[in-house]
Amino acid sequence: MMPVIEFVIYVIAYVAIGFLFVRFGLRTSEGPLTTTQALKIALPVGVAMAIATVYFSG
């Protein structure tokens, strides 16, 4: 049960940090990305980073 809780915490943290970076840090020629566009980028990257963190942490 503990690895599941740890994984969920990592997912939330990585997606939140990634969302903030993508939403407010990246710019396109048409201006900043929308919330939906930022989530489409941040969600899979955050989940992948969480999987890698849990996998490599033992």
Side-chain angles (χ1 to χ4, degrees):
M1 187 64 180
M2 193 63 174
V4 174
I5 295 170
E6 181 182 3
F7 176 73
V8 170
I9 292 170
Y10 282 132
V11 168
I12 292 170
Y14 286 142
V15 169
I17 292 169
F19 173 78
L20 291 174
F21 173 74
V22 172
R23 178 69 175 93
F24 300 109
L26 293 180
R27 300 260 183 233
T28 63
S29 58
E30 292 131 15
L33 295 175
T34 65
T35 301
T36 306
Q37 291 172 322
L39 277 176
K40 285 182 181 177
I41 296 170
L43 195 59
V45 172
V47 170
M49 288 175 60
I51 290 171
T53 301
V54 170
Y55 178 77
F56 288 114
S57 69

